[in-house]
Amino acid sequence: MPALTAGESARIRADFPILSRTVRGGAPLVYLDSGATSQKPLAVLDAERDFYLRHNAAVHRGAHQLAEEATEAFEGARGRIARFVGAQPDEVVFTKNGTEAINLVAYAMSNAGAPGALDGADPEVARRLQVGPGDEIVVTEMEHHANLVPWQELCRRTGATLRWVGVTDDGYLEDPRSVIGPATKLVAFTHVSNVLGTVVDVADLVSAAREVGVLTLLDACQSVPHQPVDVTALDVDFLVFTGHKVLGPSGVGVLWARPELLAAMPPFLTGGSMIEIVHMERSTFAPPPQRFEAGVPVAAQAVGLAAACDYLDTVGMERVAAHDHALMGYTLEQLAQRPWVRVLGPSDPAHRVGAVAFTVEGVHPHDVGQVLDDQGIAVRTGHHCAWPLHRRLRVPASTRASFGVYTTTAEVDAFLVALDRVPQIFGVSA
Amino acid sequence: MPALTAGESARIRADFPILSRTVRGGAPLVYLDSGATSQKPLAVLDAERDFYLRHNAAVHRGAHQLAEEATEAFEGARGRIARFVGAQPDEVVFTKNGTEAINLVAYAMSNAGAPGALDGADPEVARRLQVGPGDEIVVTEMEHHANLVPWQELCRRTGATLRWVGVTDDGYLEDPRSVIGPATKLVAFTHVSNVLGTVVDVADLVSAAREVGVLTLLDACQSVPHQPVDVTALDVDFLVFTGHKVLGPSGVGVLWARPELLAAMPPFLTGGSMIEIVHMERSTFAPPPQRFEAGVPVAAQAVGLAAACDYLDTVGMERVAAHDHALMGYTLEQLAQRPWVRVLGPSDPAHRVGAVAFTVEGVHPHDVGQVLDDQGIAVRTGHHCAWPLHRRLRVPASTRASFGVYTTTAEVDAFLVALDRVPQIFGVSA
Amino acid sequence: MDLYGELILEHSKRPVHAGLRDGFDAEVHHVNPTCGDEVTLRVHLDRAGDEPVLQDLSYDALGCSISTAATSMLAEESVGRPVRETLATYRGIHAMLMSKGADPGDPEVIGDAVALAGVARYPARVKCALLGWSAYLDALARAGVDISGMRP
Amino acid sequence: MDLYGELILEHSKRPVHAGLRDGFDAEVHHVNPTCGDEVTLRVHLDRAGDEPVLQDLSYDALGCSISTAATSMLAEESVGRPVRETLATYRGIHAMLMSKGADPGDPEVIGDAVALAGVARYPARVKCALLGWSAYLDALARAGVDISGMRP
Ligand SMILES: Cc1ncc(COP(=O)(O)O)c(C=O)c1O
Ligand SMILES: Cc1ncc(COP(=O)(O)O)c(C=O)c1O
């Protein structure tokens, strides 16, 4: 699959007006922070605005024509987004971001311990959802805080124990089978590290989990923007991603789960639109996905995210992946020529997607970022919400350049030129 | 304070393009469903779009110029929205909707029971947040499901007991002092009923709660859109409202709380941006409001909501209230002339805001709504997420007309003309 | 308001076979959570012959004219017939209601329910028209009839 | 890159009074959670006279050049002076950093810290420049000095 041509790149960039702005007194913006959040094409902004200007109403709460149209737009978006990851519409739950989607699962699991919470659920599925003292939740040492802290808190609430698969010096996962065992209830791990770009061997972790019959949750926040993702092929039990990193608006995240799990899970947020019958004394709940979408939902945002799926599918996710791969290869190759730069994570571009984090010998990553920013290059500095991973790699922080579908090799060049000023400014040897 | 003039109304309506569309084969839209969700003025849509087109970046997560601008826009919005309800910026937490804001408090209270969750908190405040068997949560019989089901579930998780203040036949609250007592931990009640329009006597409930020294939470989802609201004057401990009902975008809600409560409360959603230090074994959390805003926040939506506050303050909330009052008086007066209509709730317009729910003798509310919808009048039918209230008033459901700042007397007239067809169509006596 | 034709109003005011009767094989209670419509429905099967026959269908419906009329039509059309045939009626009604107005319904197959054709233009009301039917399918399933492949 | 002037680079490479020394009244540990910068800081007060004097300020700083340099300047400027005077310096630095570039800082009041004036143009870095100062204020408070009214 070929990378994007210069002409295609130019056409894509024209859909993102923010990319032609300048920063810091006239420097053209070079946005290499798509790992934090992506920019949005006009088609996404137009879809959201069109929803508000023509169909806005509370979805699932009215019978008048606007309410019908809004409901149809919202449920249409659910179907579209489901298709983007090879899922069925009813298996897709909308949340406000990836973080809420992970918390939803963590809270459903602790709520499963409340009296009556699993009444009517398939007993075998119910058993898999229950967590208590002696049980273990397994994560990895390369997780984003969003896929670590909710599990720490689940353990705090239930008395379970958190364990983790370690990371090697070169940014791969250690053997999961030394950690996953009969006490494990759930293995929650990232598809792609938001710092190292490492593409995790999902099949290996899934088979390790299957061997002991436990649940798996995949944090796909950093893979869905860059490569085709198919829930069936991945064979996990839960998958999470977030709209704002995949050209969509902020305020919308996605939880996909196997239907039998959603059917058994007790609710997380409760209120309107997720109920079946409400009495003052007690309530019963609607079937999924409604059971997990309390309150007026993020309808305009879902419609925007569906437009983002359309946009990416028009480019073609295989080509998006090829483009990312080309950028990754070029960036690693160029950085390798700079001995004062230490790239974190795998040196083989075939094992990486989306992001390149690095340190400069003798210069704090913040200062590196500042020098880049002053030349218009927007990168992220700090621990990128993966503090334990940085501790593991014995760096206090790092500087990260990350790519989007609109990123070009020329931008990588501009980044390199700006980077080359760092040694001189801080008087370290280049 | 005078109601809006015809000229002012016309100028306002021009800011809401959706109001000039037609429905059901050419009927002009008469949108009387603002209680479900309000329409959005162009200024709000423009503010959101402008944020995406010029400043979009992950807030609080970067040091480059876009990230600075996005953070400033987001925190500026927080300050603006805080001012709208007489609060300080740091006392305002953004959620995805009103429902999440209420769940946040309910989960913080059950999480308070987890080991170590209140370490470092002021012991007196900590005690007020802890809930267990023998404790009581008090709500009212007129609550929206969003302010009922989360408390039922809190009781399920903690073993506490739910109690409620009853509703009289004419839609007022019964004496709260028969329910609020020494076992009460929290009194959660609505400011304005989304069905009856009843304006609750907040001062009375707050003083009943104070007499026994317990917390109060006010669901202001239906008051903030219609009248000036000031957290200091109301003197409650928590206040919740939702952006989409107050001319703002969907996907943003607000929790206001006294700073000493926020300071002591354990987190609800956990992940990035809400932490202080993260180790694999354990984490510590940031001060409020960040502690309660995990993940990339709803920045564009907050910016949109701030623009909605600007819009309403330009009209003037006192005048918005006067306008609503005029519409309410006129609607009640006109409906009173139709003996086949039973209006639910107080007959005195001075005790009502925003909504008029009613039934037609011998015709199901759905059918009433359908007849109206077919003539372009968008109203809501059903239990309006307040099922126990309908049961209490001995009606299976109702039809509700609700107002926004853009609603006109002419629209109420169109509604009445359409309504007058109901008796004839269903062969009941008019 | 062509939606509310004579037949619908007639069925909703005087629902056929209404009321709950004894001697049933299964009883179910279904609600439409968005609006609060409810139906309690019982099926009584005759399994003496080659295939099960719906001997009685009794119900108590609380809801709008569409849901009440639809349940009444279901009862009128189905009582006394082989279950298999009633399921064919169901498929016909379902197809009509999902057609957004394109399918007017075949009176040979669905009887009085052709009067519900207008409902297809109002997606939010389709659930009302199907409330009784979904309760019926559920009751059959609980009475041990294989309805697999029946829910489109 | 006028931000990284001689003085900042000099202070960040050779921070003044760096290292943790014994004989202190209070020790605090502050972090900047968005980036992971950390500082451990100790104050040692001399309370013999009319007003407390900062006898020693020792610290261990892990962070960017801005936060390290700012902490070094704080130490250089403050050690040996009455606490009251160091708080005046703090107010001067805080005002400069919050001015978005409008206030260049008065060298009479804040000393070498005028070199940090450029930081005011980068809101996300202001926290870096204040990390050591906020630790210092906290340490004073824990050592029993009334700093009320000091945090603007
Ligand atoms: C009184 C009241 N409380 C809470 C809510 C919940 O708000 P949201 O749906 O935005 O979560 C609503 C509206 O649906 C309401 O009317
Ligand atoms: C790997 C990973 N997981 C989870 C998240 C959380 O996503 P959000 O901030 O949208 O909740 C992010 C991004 O911040 C991420 O990079």
Side-chain angles (χ1 to χ4, degrees):
Chain A
M1 197 55 67
L4 300 173
T5 65
E8 286 172 310
S9 256
R11 274 195 297 282
I12 287 173
R13 290 178 68 82
D15 294 329
F16 296 80
I18 198 171
L19 298 179
S20 28
R21 71 163 275 183
T22 59
V23 289
R24 301 293 180 214
L29 170 67
V30 173
Y31 187 74
L32 295 177
D33 198 17
S34 295
T37 199
S38 69
Q39 298 303 338
K40 329 298 175 199
L42 287 170
V44 167
L45 304 184
D46 290 346
E48 247 197 292
R49 193 180 176 92
D50 182 67
F51 175 84
Y52 283 129
L53 284 178
R54 305 207 296 142
H55 313 295
N56 180 59
V59 311
H60 288 306
R61 290 195 181 180
H64 55 78
Q65 184 175 341
L66 282 194
E68 278 173 7
E69 291 176 6
T71 304
E72 202 165 298
F74 178 60
E75 292 303 329
R78 191 193 303 279
R80 178 65 188 90
I81 293 160
R83 186 152 53 84
F84 192 66
V85 292
Q88 294 303 312
D90 281 0
E91 302 163 359
V92 160
V93 175
F94 286 117
T95 61
K96 70 172 172 182
N97 55 23
T99 303
E100 186 197 334
I102 296 170
N103 276 272
L104 192 167
V105 178
Y107 274 104
M109 291 178 80
S110 56
N111 288 350
L118 292 170
D119 284 0
D122 177 324
E124 174 48 23
V125 181
R127 192 193 53 74
R128 303 182 76 194
L129 292 169
Q130 276 168 311
V131 185
D135 291 331
E136 295 176 357
I137 303 292
V138 172
V139 297
T140 87
E141 210 175 357
M142 63 166 75
E143 296 311 311
H144 188 281
H145 296 161
N147 200 26
L148 168 59
V149 187
W151 306 115
Q152 293 178 335
E153 293 297 303
L154 171 64
C155 290
R156 189 208 291 270
R157 292 194 298 273
T158 59
T161 303
L162 188 76
R163 301 195 59 193
W164 53 91
V165 179
V167 170
T168 64
D169 284 340
D170 45 358
Y172 294 95
L173 286 183
E174 288 177 349
D175 178 16
R177 283 173 182 77
S178 63
V179 182
I180 298 170
T184 309
K185 294 296 290 198
L186 172 86
V187 184
F189 60 102
T190 197
H191 195 179
V192 168
S193 159
N194 69 312
V195 178
L196 310 178
T198 312
V199 182
V200 167
D201 185 349
V202 176
D204 187 47
L205 274 105
V206 167
S207 80
R210 301 246 145 185
E211 282 157 24
V212 288
V214 305
L215 296 170
T216 50
L217 179 144
L218 189 67
D219 175 356
C221 287
Q222 294 289 351
S223 56
V224 172
H226 298 294
Q227 59 184 42
V229 165
D230 183 287
V231 294
T232 313
L234 289 166
D235 202 23
V236 291
D237 297 306
F238 301 98
L239 182 141
V240 163
F241 68 98
T242 192
H244 67 88
K245 292 190 205 279
V246 56
L247 311 189
S250 63
V252 55
V254 171
L255 169 67
W256 169 86
R258 289 190 194 276
E260 63 273 24
L261 290 169
L262 287 180
M265 279 158 64
F268 163 45
L269 298 176
T270 58
S273 295
M274 54 71 69
I275 55 91
E276 184 188 47
I277 301 180
V278 177
H279 291 269
M280 289 309 291
E281 296 79 3
R282 92 207 74 82
S283 305
T284 55
F285 306 117
Q290 274 69 39
R291 189 191 303 157
F292 303 102
E293 294 178 357
V296 166
V298 292
Q301 289 77 17
V303 166
L305 180 53
C309 296
D310 285 342
Y311 189 92
L312 284 168
D313 275 344
T314 302
V315 179
M317 284 308 294
E318 295 284 359
R319 300 211 56 209
V320 171
H323 182 65
D324 185 88
H325 185 66
L327 290 169
M328 181 61 80
Y330 181 69
T331 307
L332 290 184
E333 184 189 298
Q334 292 295 315
L335 288 176
Q337 293 167 22
R338 290 159 172 84
W340 42 276
V341 169
R342 172 187 165 200
V343 170
L344 306 179
S347 49
D348 182 348
H351 298 164
R352 305 180 60 125
V353 157
V356 180
F358 60 93
T359 57
V360 172
E361 192 55 43
V363 184
H364 192 278
H366 259 202
D367 295 319
V368 175
Q370 181 85 56
V371 170
L372 295 174
D373 172 43
D374 248 325
Q375 299 172 79
I377 320 292
V379 295
R380 188 162 163 199
T381 63
H383 51 61
H384 320 307
C385 301
W387 207 331
L389 175 62
H390 281 83
R391 226 176 263 118
R392 164 66 189 83
L393 298 176
R394 290 179 207 91
V395 289
S398 63
T399 305
R400 179 187 74 181
S402 56
F403 312 134
V405 59
Y406 38 70
T407 306
T408 63
T409 318
E411 290 186 302
V412 175
D413 284 331
F415 154 71
L416 294 165
V417 168
L419 182 65
D420 285 341
R421 294 199 56 202
V422 169
Q424 171 231 320
I425 289 174
F426 293 95
V428 296
S429 53
Chain B
M1 197 55 67
L4 300 172
T5 65
E8 286 172 312
S9 257
R11 275 195 296 282
I12 287 172
R13 290 177 68 82
D15 294 329
F16 296 80
I18 198 172
L19 297 179
S20 27
R21 72 164 272 184
T22 58
V23 290
R24 299 292 179 218
L29 171 67
V30 173
Y31 187 73
L32 295 178
D33 198 17
S34 295
T37 199
S38 68
Q39 298 303 339
K40 329 301 176 198
L42 287 170
V44 166
L45 304 184
D46 290 346
E48 248 197 291
R49 193 178 175 94
D50 182 68
F51 174 84
Y52 283 129
L53 283 178
R54 303 209 297 141
H55 312 295
N56 179 59
V59 310
H60 287 306
R61 288 195 181 180
H64 56 76
Q65 184 175 339
L66 282 194
E68 277 173 7
E69 291 176 5
T71 304
E72 203 165 296
F74 179 59
E75 291 303 329
R78 191 193 303 278
R80 178 64 189 91
I81 293 159
R83 187 151 53 80
F84 192 66
V85 292
Q88 294 301 313
D90 281 0
E91 302 161 1
V92 160
V93 175
F94 287 116
T95 60
K96 72 173 170 182
N97 55 22
T99 303
E100 186 197 335
I102 295 170
N103 276 272
L104 192 166
V105 177
Y107 274 104
M109 290 178 81
S110 56
N111 287 350
L118 291 169
D119 284 1
D122 176 323
E124 174 49 23
V125 182
R127 192 192 53 75
R128 304 182 75 192
L129 292 169
Q130 275 167 310
V131 185
D135 292 331
E136 294 176 357
I137 303 290
V138 173
V139 297
T140 86
E141 210 174 358
M142 63 166 74
E143 296 311 312
H144 188 281
H145 296 161
N147 200 27
L148 168 59
V149 188
W151 306 116
Q152 293 177 335
E153 292 298 302
L154 171 64
C155 291
R156 188 207 293 269
R157 292 194 298 273
T158 61
T161 304
L162 188 76
R163 301 196 59 195
W164 53 92
V165 179
V167 169
T168 64
D169 283 339
D170 45 357
Y172 292 96
L173 287 183
E174 287 176 350
D175 178 17
R177 284 176 182 76
S178 62
V179 182
I180 299 170
T184 310
K185 293 299 287 199
L186 172 87
V187 184
F189 61 102
T190 197
H191 195 181
V192 167
S193 159
N194 70 311
V195 179
L196 309 178
T198 313
V199 182
V200 166
D201 186 349
V202 176
D204 186 47
L205 275 105
V206 167
S207 79
R210 299 248 144 181
E211 282 156 23
V212 289
V214 305
L215 296 171
T216 49
L217 178 145
L218 189 66
D219 176 355
C221 287
Q222 293 290 352
S223 56
V224 171
H226 298 293
Q227 59 184 42
V229 165
D230 183 286
V231 293
T232 314
L234 290 166
D235 203 25
V236 291
D237 296 306
F238 300 98
L239 182 142
V240 164
F241 68 98
T242 192
H244 68 87
K245 291 191 206 277
V246 56
L247 311 189
S250 63
V252 56
V254 171
L255 168 68
W256 169 86
R258 290 189 193 276
E260 62 273 24
L261 290 169
L262 287 180
M265 278 157 66
F268 163 45
L269 298 176
T270 59
S273 296
M274 56 70 69
I275 55 91
E276 184 187 48
I277 301 180
V278 177
H279 292 268
M280 289 308 291
E281 296 80 3
R282 93 208 72 81
S283 305
T284 56
F285 306 116
Q290 273 70 40
R291 188 190 306 156
F292 303 101
E293 294 178 358
V296 167
V298 291
Q301 289 78 13
V303 167
L305 181 53
C309 295
D310 284 342
Y311 189 92
L312 284 168
D313 275 343
T314 303
V315 178
M317 284 310 293
E318 295 284 0
R319 300 210 58 209
V320 171
H323 182 64
D324 185 87
H325 185 66
L327 289 169
M328 181 60 78
Y330 181 69
T331 308
L332 291 184
E333 186 188 298
Q334 293 296 315
L335 288 176
Q337 292 167 21
R338 290 158 173 83
W340 41 277
V341 170
R342 170 185 166 201
V343 170
L344 306 180
S347 49
D348 182 348
H351 298 164
R352 304 181 61 126
V353 158
V356 179
F358 60 93
T359 58
V360 172
E361 193 55 44
V363 185
H364 192 278
H366 260 200
D367 295 319
V368 175
Q370 182 84 57
V371 171
L372 294 174
D373 172 42
D374 248 323
Q375 299 172 78
I377 320 290
V379 295
R380 189 164 162 197
T381 63
H383 50 61
H384 320 306
C385 302
W387 206 331
L389 175 62
H390 280 82
R391 227 178 261 115
R392 165 65 190 85
L393 297 177
R394 289 178 208 90
V395 290
S398 62
T399 305
R400 180 186 73 180
S402 55
F403 312 134
V405 59
Y406 38 70
T407 306
T408 63
T409 318
E411 289 185 302
V412 174
D413 284 331
F415 155 71
L416 293 165
V417 167
L419 183 64
D420 285 341
R421 295 199 56 201
V422 168
Q424 171 233 317
I425 289 174
F426 293 95
V428 297
S429 53
Chain C
M1 282 310 303
D2 47 353
L3 181 58
Y4 294 106
E6 277 299 310
L7 267 173
I8 291 187
L9 293 177
E10 189 55 35
H11 272 281
S12 75
K13 281 192 193 134
R14 275 168 291 275
V16 178
H17 302 307
L20 292 171
R21 289 176 291 281
D22 282 343
F24 53 92
D25 297 273
E27 174 184 293
V28 298
H29 178 73
H30 275 216
V31 299
N32 183 342
T34 31
C35 61
D37 282 4
E38 305 182 38
V39 65
T40 306
L41 186 144
R42 297 173 176 178
V43 293
H44 187 177
L45 302 177
D46 175 354
R47 305 191 199 230
D50 290 349
E51 55 171 345
V53 169
L54 184 63
Q55 188 171 328
D56 191 20
L57 185 159
S58 70
Y59 62 93
D60 186 14
L62 181 73
C64 63
S65 61
I66 303 294
S67 79
T68 313
T71 306
S72 168
M73 292 165 179
L74 153 65
E76 177 170 65
E77 208 54 34
S78 308
V79 170
R81 287 174 61 202
V83 167
R84 196 178 30 77
E85 289 180 28
T86 68
L87 295 176
T89 307
Y90 170 64
R91 280 193 298 274
I93 289 180
H94 191 274
M96 175 184 78
L97 289 171
M98 291 303 173
S99 76
K100 301 203 168 177
D103 173 357
D106 178 354
E108 298 285 302
V109 179
I110 67 173
D112 279 4
V114 289
L116 295 169
V119 174
R121 284 182 288 117
Y122 304 96
R125 304 302 298 275
V126 169
K127 267 196 200 162
C128 307
L130 288 174
L131 183 64
W133 276 102
S134 74
Y136 173 57
L137 294 188
D138 191 17
L140 287 179
R142 296 202 197 188
V145 179
D146 179 9
I147 58 156
S148 60
M150 281 311 119
R151 293 177 193 259
Chain D
M1 283 309 302
D2 47 355
L3 182 58
Y4 294 106
E6 277 298 309
L7 267 173
I8 292 185
L9 294 177
E10 187 55 36
H11 271 281
S12 75
K13 282 192 191 134
R14 276 169 290 275
V16 178
H17 302 307
L20 291 171
R21 290 175 291 279
D22 283 344
F24 53 93
D25 297 273
E27 173 183 296
V28 297
H29 179 71
H30 275 216
V31 299
N32 181 342
T34 31
C35 60
D37 284 3
E38 304 182 37
V39 64
T40 306
L41 184 147
R42 296 173 175 177
V43 293
H44 186 175
L45 301 177
D46 176 353
R47 305 191 199 231
D50 289 348
E51 54 172 346
V53 169
L54 183 64
Q55 189 172 326
D56 191 20
L57 184 160
S58 69
Y59 62 93
D60 187 13
L62 181 73
C64 63
S65 61
I66 303 293
S67 80
T68 313
T71 307
S72 168
M73 291 166 180
L74 153 65
E76 176 171 64
E77 208 55 35
S78 307
V79 169
R81 286 173 64 200
V83 166
R84 194 178 32 77
E85 289 180 28
T86 67
L87 295 178
T89 306
Y90 170 64
R91 279 193 298 274
I93 290 180
H94 190 273
M96 174 185 78
L97 290 171
M98 291 304 172
S99 76
K100 302 202 165 175
D103 173 357
D106 178 354
E108 298 284 301
V109 179
I110 66 173
D112 279 4
V114 289
L116 296 170
V119 174
R121 284 181 288 115
Y122 304 96
R125 305 303 298 278
V126 169
K127 266 197 200 160
C128 306
L130 287 175
L131 183 64
W133 276 102
S134 74
Y136 174 56
L137 294 187
D138 191 17
L140 287 179
R142 296 204 196 188
V145 178
D146 178 10
I147 58 156
S148 60
M150 281 310 116
R151 292 175 193 259

